[in-house]
Amino acid sequence: MATRLTDRLLRSLGPEDAGSEFRDEKLTNLAARVGKGGKVTFSVTYRLGGRGSKRRRLTLGEFPALSLAEARNLAQRQLGEVAGGADPAAEREQFRRPSVGTTLAGVVTSWLEGVDGAQPTPWRAGWRAEQLRGLERDILPTFGNVHVAQLTRRELLACIDKVARRAPASANRIRKTLLQVFDWAVDRELLSINPLVRTKAPAPSSSGDRVLTDEEIVLAWRGIADYPKPMSLVLALELVTLQRGGEILSMRREDLDLANEWWTIPAERTKTKREPHRVPLNALALSILALASLPPEGLAFPGRGGRPMVKTAPAKAATRIVLRTGMTPWTPHDLRRTAATKLVDAGVEEWHVGLLLSHGSRHPSVSPVTRAYVRSTHDAPKRNAALTWDARAALLDWRTD
């Protein structure tokens, strides 16, 4: 029997009415049910196949958080969807028990497979492990089994902010990775909107301004030389060649032309992915490589079991060296910045240093038309910069025997 539901009636219901159900006189598919503690919950019922079909129930919300007027409007919308062939209760159940592929963990896995390609190289495998590390530690334990469409901006930011209090840089990386994951999910219609779009990084990022003094370079070099191989060689090469740590970790024996003193980084392993980067090997770089047990082929600096080392390994080694030497903290990237700064101080043009850093091969004053014709690898200015740095190293007397 239908009841004339009013806010006054609903407020009067209590534990003594537990188990009772009151159907709305205005909208008979809407009902208010009283739970054991006197909690009043709105629900809407419907049939998908006419009178003989099973009646289905969809919970709408609790009173008074959901008012009677709001419950009627929501019930009418749901019934309109049913009239169009939808099954709101079944759709909600799908969210509650999502398939593996639609959970956050499943979407992250699919995203990694999508950006990695069918046959990931060892370095891409290392990149995949790096992307997963922060998510597996701080995000997936809480949200891994949640349907991506149910993730809220507030919950995600609260979790990321918690990480930021402990590890600001890690929180920034997690947010950046999740932004990419959710963009990928939106493109594939697993999400209607990226929940982290237009959010700010939880911690301020800095391009860094640490440049080691000549005395600090000597001290850092000695600390690096005393560190176990192969990581000591990786850090030394970052200072000597001015190349990125990730590119050194991914160096392969077939990339090296030791006879002609060149190291060619394939385009797919450069940061820009646009073109190969040719790196001149000065005498100091060659002496460092001579200390490595270079294989006939494959990774020049493999990790345990022949697997690629993770990208964060040089930074961890640098932290240990800083503690051992008592130096003001520095990072592997600071070594690269230091070498670039010292080269400019020694009279090398900034553009030539930029060529060695792989910051682009185009001179800012060259017109776009000329750029379309000039396809030089600029070996000469890069070689000159490498030789200048080698001479500078000799003057500083931070070579090893």
Side-chain angles (χ1 to χ4, degrees):
M1 179 177 175
T3 304
R4 184 172 178 271
L5 291 183
T6 63
D7 288 331
R8 182 176 181 180
L9 170 64
L10 294 172
R11 282 193 293 268
S12 69
L13 300 175
E16 65 277 6
D17 301 300
S20 301
E21 179 174 287
F22 301 87
R23 293 205 162 272
D24 187 21
E25 189 177 66
K26 288 187 176 181
L27 184 62
T28 56
N29 294 75
L30 177 66
R33 308 180 79 181
V34 184
K36 289 183 178 180
K39 180 174 65 177
V40 178
T41 304
F42 291 113
S43 64
V44 61
T45 57
Y46 59 91
R47 300 180 191 273
L48 292 176
R51 286 185 173 275
S53 61
K54 182 178 179 181
R55 185 182 293 272
R56 298 181 64 81
R57 182 185 296 274
L58 178 69
T59 300
L60 300 178
E62 296 178 9
F63 179 84
L66 183 69
S67 69
L68 176 58
E70 290 170 336
R72 284 172 175 155
N73 289 334
L74 183 56
Q76 287 175 334
R77 287 202 301 270
Q78 298 294 346
L79 291 172
E81 292 184 12
V82 171
D87 186 354
E91 291 174 2
R92 180 173 295 180
E93 184 65 22
Q94 183 180 2
F95 280 124
R96 288 177 176 173
R97 298 180 181 178
S99 65
V100 174
T102 57
T103 64
L104 179 58
V107 170
V108 167
T109 300
S110 298
W111 170 73
L112 287 170
E113 291 173 350
V115 298
D116 233 13
Q119 294 179 327
T121 63
W123 176 241
R124 298 297 287 177
W127 173 87
R128 181 171 58 238
E130 181 187 357
Q131 298 298 311
L132 274 173
R133 188 174 299 107
L135 297 181
E136 288 180 336
R137 182 182 60 240
D138 299 308
I139 300 296
L140 295 182
T142 302
F143 302 112
N145 293 324
V146 179
H147 193 293
V148 286
Q150 286 188 307
L151 294 169
T152 67
R153 185 188 189 95
R154 178 181 295 180
E155 291 173 333
L156 290 168
L157 289 179
C159 191
I160 293 172
D161 288 342
K162 183 179 179 180
V163 177
R165 290 192 287 271
R166 183 190 78 243
S170 181
N172 285 346
R173 285 193 295 270
I174 287 172
R175 172 187 166 273
K176 182 178 179 181
T177 300
L178 285 175
L179 273 169
Q180 296 177 49
V181 170
F182 293 141
D183 278 344
W184 184 90
V186 169
D187 289 342
R188 284 148 186 82
E189 298 185 350
L190 297 172
L191 277 173
S192 58
I193 189 171
N194 187 330
L196 292 181
V197 70
R198 296 177 64 186
T199 59
K200 296 181 179 180
S205 59
S206 172
S207 60
D209 56 7
R210 177 88 161 96
V211 175
L212 279 66
T213 65
D214 290 354
E215 293 75 15
E216 286 180 319
I217 293 175
V218 175
L219 188 58
W221 184 261
R222 291 171 181 167
I224 291 171
D226 289 338
Y227 200 80
K229 292 191 290 188
M231 188 49 63
S232 59
L233 306 181
V234 171
L235 289 171
L237 283 174
E238 187 155 358
L239 178 60
V240 172
T241 66
L242 285 74
Q243 302 312 299
R244 299 177 179 89
E247 292 166 345
I248 296 171
L249 288 177
S250 66
M251 177 192 290
R252 300 180 69 84
R253 179 62 183 85
E254 47 268 37
D255 302 335
L256 297 170
D257 181 359
L258 299 179
N260 293 304
E261 302 176 354
W262 285 100
W263 164 30
T264 302
I265 306 174
E268 64 270 16
R269 281 192 266 122
T270 64
K271 184 176 182 179
T272 62
K273 304 290 188 295
R274 288 198 299 264
E275 56 190 10
H277 177 46
R278 283 170 55 81
V279 182
L281 299 172
N282 56 26
L284 186 52
L286 290 169
S287 69
I288 294 169
L289 288 170
L291 297 174
S293 301
L294 294 175
E297 61 180 13
L299 290 170
F301 303 108
R304 293 179 181 177
R307 296 185 297 273
M309 286 188 278
V310 296
K311 200 174 180 180
T312 55
K316 292 179 179 179
T319 300
R320 296 187 184 103
I321 292 170
V322 166
L323 292 174
R324 291 179 182 181
T325 57
M327 297 180 65
T328 300
W330 52 264
T331 68
H333 201 72
D334 293 334
L335 299 179
R336 192 166 179 250
R337 183 186 304 105
T338 295
T341 303
K342 299 294 182 181
L343 275 175
V344 174
D345 290 345
V348 179
E349 288 189 36
E350 285 192 29
W351 176 53
H352 294 171
V353 176
L355 292 172
L356 193 56
L357 290 166
S358 186
H359 283 172
S361 59
R362 298 170 178 175
H363 195 283
S365 65
V366 177
S367 71
V369 176
T370 304
R371 291 173 187 169
Y373 286 87
V374 177
R375 288 290 181 260
S376 172
T377 56
H378 302 287
D379 287 353
K382 287 191 289 188
R383 172 72 73 184
N384 178 66
L387 293 175
T388 300
W389 186 227
D390 194 61
R392 176 79 171 174
L395 290 172
L396 287 172
D397 191 28
W398 50 269
R399 294 170 178 265
T400 57
D401 295 331

